[in-house]
Amino acid sequence: MRRFLAQMFGASQAPAAPATAPPQREAVGYAERTWTSGDGLSLWARDYGGADGPARLPVICIHGLTRNSRDFEDVAPAIAATGRRVLALDVRGRGRSAYDPNPTNYNPAVYAGDVASLMGEAGIARAIFLGTSMGGLITMTLSTLRPDLIAGAILNDIGPEIATEGLTRIGSYVGSGAPAASWAEAVERTRAINGSAQPHLTDADWDRFARRTWREAEPGKLVLDYDPAIAQAFAAAPAGTPSPDLWPLYMALAINRPMLLVRGGASDLLAEGTAARMQALAPQLRRVDIDGVGHAPTLEEPAARQAIADFLADAP
């Protein structure tokens, strides 16, 4: 855990020439946006235009460690239907964004710079952020680097203290998935890893879940849709490696901003005590716990959808 946090929030080195992730077919209903990071990587996002109505700030959706923009393929259109533009991005090393040949760049400071670059190229001066797990850490990091960009935040099952139990569980599978020979196999392997956190999902739900996580590299060969090198941060920590204190990042995000915390009621990554302290330190923080769900809520649960809708109705 110490190595993971230290590497994720440590200094990065200059990257080598960019590598490109394989393209894949996507659903319709959004514009495809590309932009180039400051170190030359080609990055990709979904851009959902908002429906007619009063002008509201856009929403930036950022996924978790091993995920991609497809996690928001139901949530983003629902938000856009309320009148807000929504950008859901593939963080470098995931989905249709390029893989980084220098794995030390897989950390929130670099990711935050990529988000700032996207906003600059998209002409977005301020936005509401919706971050799942790692996406929430990126949002907290951005609040210290470019606080002017963040008007409010929705944190999905993440806080400034990451429970060792959950981090150990993630480290046990990230980067180690062998190819699957069929979608049926991919679905079963996805269910085996995530089933305890999502006991309410149906067979159809698990099929959709798997198709958001895997891609077809070639006929008869499905691979997880991220760079396996992101797992390097989970290597054993050298003796004496300190865990960074992330509470200052959270407090920087909380200053004079509306916030919503969505927490899985059975989360092994965001402890109840951490969530309670987050509320105590930021009284304006709204909170909803999704009963029976672990890390992380899909945000398609009725309670989560209602909480997000209510929050955005009151947000700038």
PDB file of all heavy atoms in Angstrom, residues 123-138:
ATOM      1  N   GLY A 123     -12.313  24.037 -24.411  1.00  0.00           N
ATOM      2  CA  GLY A 123     -12.867  25.335 -24.081  1.00  0.00           C
ATOM      3  C   GLY A 123     -13.685  25.351 -22.798  1.00  0.00           C
ATOM      4  O   GLY A 123     -14.628  26.133 -22.668  1.00  0.00           O
ATOM      5  N   ILE A 124     -13.321  24.506 -21.844  1.00  0.00           N
ATOM      6  CA  ILE A 124     -14.056  24.413 -20.577  1.00  0.00           C
ATOM      7  C   ILE A 124     -13.231  25.066 -19.474  1.00  0.00           C
ATOM      8  O   ILE A 124     -12.142  24.592 -19.150  1.00  0.00           O
ATOM      9  CB  ILE A 124     -14.359  22.949 -20.216  1.00  0.00           C
ATOM     10  CG1 ILE A 124     -15.238  22.317 -21.295  1.00  0.00           C
ATOM     11  CG2 ILE A 124     -15.014  22.847 -18.848  1.00  0.00           C
ATOM     12  CD1 ILE A 124     -15.465  20.829 -21.113  1.00  0.00           C
ATOM     13  N   ALA A 125     -13.756  26.136 -18.895  1.00  0.00           N
ATOM     14  CA  ALA A 125     -13.025  26.859 -17.856  1.00  0.00           C
ATOM     15  C   ALA A 125     -13.268  26.274 -16.475  1.00  0.00           C
ATOM     16  O   ALA A 125     -12.372  26.304 -15.623  1.00  0.00           O
ATOM     17  CB  ALA A 125     -13.405  28.339 -17.871  1.00  0.00           C
ATOM     18  N   ARG A 126     -14.470  25.739 -16.224  1.00  0.00           N
ATOM     19  CA  ARG A 126     -14.816  25.147 -14.930  1.00  0.00           C
ATOM     20  C   ARG A 126     -15.799  24.022 -15.174  1.00  0.00           C
ATOM     21  O   ARG A 126     -16.569  24.052 -16.130  1.00  0.00           O
ATOM     22  CB  ARG A 126     -15.449  26.174 -13.978  1.00  0.00           C
ATOM     23  CG  ARG A 126     -14.535  27.296 -13.550  1.00  0.00           C
ATOM     24  CD  ARG A 126     -15.279  28.337 -12.729  1.00  0.00           C
ATOM     25  NE  ARG A 126     -15.591  27.870 -11.375  1.00  0.00           N
ATOM     26  CZ  ARG A 126     -16.803  27.942 -10.819  1.00  0.00           C
ATOM     27  NH1 ARG A 126     -17.831  28.405 -11.506  1.00  0.00           N
ATOM     28  NH2 ARG A 126     -16.981  27.521  -9.583  1.00  0.00           N
ATOM     29  N   ALA A 127     -15.781  23.030 -14.292  1.00  0.00           N
ATOM     30  CA  ALA A 127     -16.676  21.899 -14.453  1.00  0.00           C
ATOM     31  C   ALA A 127     -16.968  21.271 -13.100  1.00  0.00           C
ATOM     32  O   ALA A 127     -16.267  21.493 -12.112  1.00  0.00           O
ATOM     33  CB  ALA A 127     -16.058  20.855 -15.391  1.00  0.00           C
ATOM     34  N   ILE A 128     -18.031  20.473 -13.086  1.00  0.00           N
ATOM     35  CA  ILE A 128     -18.315  19.576 -11.972  1.00  0.00           C
ATOM     36  C   ILE A 128     -17.623  18.248 -12.293  1.00  0.00           C
ATOM     37  O   ILE A 128     -17.711  17.751 -13.422  1.00  0.00           O
ATOM     38  CB  ILE A 128     -19.830  19.332 -11.820  1.00  0.00           C
ATOM     39  CG1 ILE A 128     -20.587  20.661 -11.697  1.00  0.00           C
ATOM     40  CG2 ILE A 128     -20.095  18.425 -10.618  1.00  0.00           C
ATOM     41  CD1 ILE A 128     -20.283  21.444 -10.450  1.00  0.00           C
ATOM     42  N   PHE A 129     -16.932  17.670 -11.317  1.00  0.00           N
ATOM     43  CA  PHE A 129     -16.202  16.426 -11.545  1.00  0.00           C
ATOM     44  C   PHE A 129     -16.929  15.253 -10.896  1.00  0.00           C
ATOM     45  O   PHE A 129     -17.414  15.357  -9.767  1.00  0.00           O
ATOM     46  CB  PHE A 129     -14.782  16.529 -10.993  1.00  0.00           C
ATOM     47  CG  PHE A 129     -13.850  17.291 -11.888  1.00  0.00           C
ATOM     48  CD1 PHE A 129     -13.954  18.669 -12.014  1.00  0.00           C
ATOM     49  CD2 PHE A 129     -12.889  16.634 -12.635  1.00  0.00           C
ATOM     50  CE1 PHE A 129     -13.116  19.377 -12.856  1.00  0.00           C
ATOM     51  CE2 PHE A 129     -12.045  17.322 -13.483  1.00  0.00           C
ATOM     52  CZ  PHE A 129     -12.159  18.700 -13.591  1.00  0.00           C
ATOM     53  N   LEU A 130     -16.967  14.134 -11.626  1.00  0.00           N
ATOM     54  CA  LEU A 130     -17.504  12.881 -11.100  1.00  0.00           C
ATOM     55  C   LEU A 130     -16.386  11.857 -11.222  1.00  0.00           C
ATOM     56  O   LEU A 130     -16.027  11.441 -12.321  1.00  0.00           O
ATOM     57  CB  LEU A 130     -18.741  12.460 -11.895  1.00  0.00           C
ATOM     58  CG  LEU A 130     -19.630  11.347 -11.314  1.00  0.00           C
ATOM     59  CD1 LEU A 130     -20.915  11.217 -12.131  1.00  0.00           C
ATOM     60  CD2 LEU A 130     -18.939  10.004 -11.249  1.00  0.00           C
ATOM     61  N   GLY A 131     -15.824  11.456 -10.085  1.00  0.00           N
ATOM     62  CA  GLY A 131     -14.683  10.560 -10.107  1.00  0.00           C
ATOM     63  C   GLY A 131     -14.929   9.283  -9.320  1.00  0.00           C
ATOM     64  O   GLY A 131     -15.243   9.343  -8.128  1.00  0.00           O
ATOM     65  N   THR A 132     -14.791   8.149  -9.995  1.00  0.00           N
ATOM     66  CA  THR A 132     -14.897   6.850  -9.339  1.00  0.00           C
ATOM     67  C   THR A 132     -13.522   6.379  -8.905  1.00  0.00           C
ATOM     68  O   THR A 132     -12.601   6.302  -9.726  1.00  0.00           O
ATOM     69  CB  THR A 132     -15.517   5.811 -10.285  1.00  0.00           C
ATOM     70  OG1 THR A 132     -16.869   6.177 -10.573  1.00  0.00           O
ATOM     71  CG2 THR A 132     -15.495   4.425  -9.666  1.00  0.00           C
ATOM     72  N   SER A 133     -13.347   6.087  -7.627  1.00  0.00           N
ATOM     73  CA  SER A 133     -12.110   5.510  -7.104  1.00  0.00           C
ATOM     74  C   SER A 133     -10.914   6.339  -7.555  1.00  0.00           C
ATOM     75  O   SER A 133     -10.757   7.483  -7.130  1.00  0.00           O
ATOM     76  CB  SER A 133     -12.011   4.045  -7.544  1.00  0.00           C
ATOM     77  OG  SER A 133     -11.031   3.352  -6.813  1.00  0.00           O
ATOM     78  N   MET A 134     -10.054   5.814  -8.432  1.00  0.00           N
ATOM     79  CA  MET A 134      -8.907   6.589  -8.898  1.00  0.00           C
ATOM     80  C   MET A 134      -9.326   7.925  -9.472  1.00  0.00           C
ATOM     81  O   MET A 134      -8.615   8.932  -9.334  1.00  0.00           O
ATOM     82  CB  MET A 134      -8.133   5.789  -9.946  1.00  0.00           C
ATOM     83  CG  MET A 134      -6.900   6.498 -10.500  1.00  0.00           C
ATOM     84  SD  MET A 134      -6.162   5.654 -11.928  1.00  0.00           S
ATOM     85  CE  MET A 134      -7.397   6.033 -13.201  1.00  0.00           C
ATOM     86  N   GLY A 135     -10.487   7.975 -10.118  1.00  0.00           N
ATOM     87  CA  GLY A 135     -10.976   9.231 -10.665  1.00  0.00           C
ATOM     88  C   GLY A 135     -11.190  10.280  -9.594  1.00  0.00           C
ATOM     89  O   GLY A 135     -10.998  11.479  -9.828  1.00  0.00           O
ATOM     90  N   GLY A 136     -11.579   9.842  -8.396  1.00  0.00           N
ATOM     91  CA  GLY A 136     -11.710  10.776  -7.283  1.00  0.00           C
ATOM     92  C   GLY A 136     -10.361  11.265  -6.795  1.00  0.00           C
ATOM     93  O   GLY A 136     -10.205  12.433  -6.421  1.00  0.00           O
ATOM     94  N   LEU A 137      -9.361  10.364  -6.787  1.00  0.00           N
ATOM     95  CA  LEU A 137      -8.009  10.778  -6.407  1.00  0.00           C
ATOM     96  C   LEU A 137      -7.453  11.790  -7.405  1.00  0.00           C
ATOM     97  O   LEU A 137      -6.767  12.747  -7.022  1.00  0.00           O
ATOM     98  CB  LEU A 137      -7.094   9.565  -6.337  1.00  0.00           C
ATOM     99  CG  LEU A 137      -7.420   8.514  -5.268  1.00  0.00           C
ATOM    100  CD1 LEU A 137      -6.462   7.342  -5.374  1.00  0.00           C
ATOM    101  CD2 LEU A 137      -7.367   9.112  -3.867  1.00  0.00           C
ATOM    102  N   ILE A 138      -7.750  11.591  -8.689  1.00  0.00           N
ATOM    103  CA  ILE A 138      -7.312  12.551  -9.701  1.00  0.00           C
ATOM    104  C   ILE A 138      -7.974  13.897  -9.460  1.00  0.00           C
ATOM    105  O   ILE A 138      -7.337  14.954  -9.568  1.00  0.00           O
ATOM    106  CB  ILE A 138      -7.640  12.018 -11.111  1.00  0.00           C
ATOM    107  CG1 ILE A 138      -6.831  10.751 -11.410  1.00  0.00           C
ATOM    108  CG2 ILE A 138      -7.367  13.088 -12.173  1.00  0.00           C
ATOM    109  CD1 ILE A 138      -7.272  10.025 -12.678  1.00  0.00           C
TER     110      ILE A 138
END
